[in-house]
Amino acid sequence: MRPSRTPAVALAAALTLTAAGCGSGGGDSAKAPSKATDVARADAICRTANTRITTAAKQTFTAAVPTLPQIRRYASTAFFPVVERELRDLRALTPPAGDDGAAEAIYDCDRARPDSGARESGAARTAREAQPFTAANAQARRYGLTVCGAS
């Protein structure tokens, strides 16, 4: 659900993605918006998060090669708090009628957690950990999101 990140940001995400919290969401289905409205609202949330993440990365990573402490500090103080808020805000949206859980499946961060593939081969797990949002991005694009599904 993230746009392309600098290598340091991608590394920070891969190193500490298990810190992201997951929860269930949902809103009041009696006030369900159209899918177009849902997509616009979700993409607006992602756009705001992307701006916050990019701004924090530019402020944190001033050297060509960031240090591991810089990456850890960025991940814990900027990246994950923004992603957690983004997921909370996305889950708070009321999905459109007939959604059948498609939106919630996109926001299910368990798919992105490095420890979720205990039975995967080493190569498959390494590839998934290097790009933790690949599955969520693909689902988001299929659903019609453009900002949230950018990679």
Side-chain angles (χ1 to χ4, degrees):
M1 296 187 323
R2 313 276 123 238
S4 180
R5 306 276 189 246
T6 64
V9 176
L11 178 59
L15 288 174
T16 58
L17 193 55
T18 57
C22 297
S24 62
D28 183 359
S29 61
K31 299 177 184 177
S34 69
K35 183 173 178 180
T37 298
D38 186 54
V39 166
R41 289 176 181 168
D43 273 342
I45 290 168
C46 291
R47 189 174 295 108
T48 298
N50 292 346
T51 299
R52 288 179 178 145
I53 287 169
T54 300
T55 300
K58 287 178 182 177
Q59 292 171 348
T60 303
F61 303 119
T62 56
V65 179
T67 65
L68 188 55
Q70 284 177 317
I71 293 169
R72 286 183 177 145
R73 185 177 61 250
Y74 168 78
S76 66
T77 64
F79 185 81
F80 286 114
V82 170
V83 171
E84 288 170 359
R85 179 178 177 183
E86 177 184 29
L87 286 170
R88 188 174 54 251
D89 291 349
L90 289 167
R91 286 192 179 104
L93 295 174
T94 301
D99 179 75
D100 296 327
E104 183 63 25
I106 296 167
Y107 314 140
D108 180 5
C109 66
D110 281 343
R111 285 187 175 81
R113 290 178 54 194
D115 62 349
S116 67
R119 296 183 193 166
E120 292 176 314
S121 71
R125 186 173 184 170
T126 300
R128 184 178 45 75
E129 288 174 357
Q131 294 295 324
F133 299 108
T134 301
N137 284 345
Q139 284 184 302
R141 286 189 303 273
R142 281 192 300 271
Y143 188 72
L145 297 167
T146 57
V147 178
C148 296
S151 54

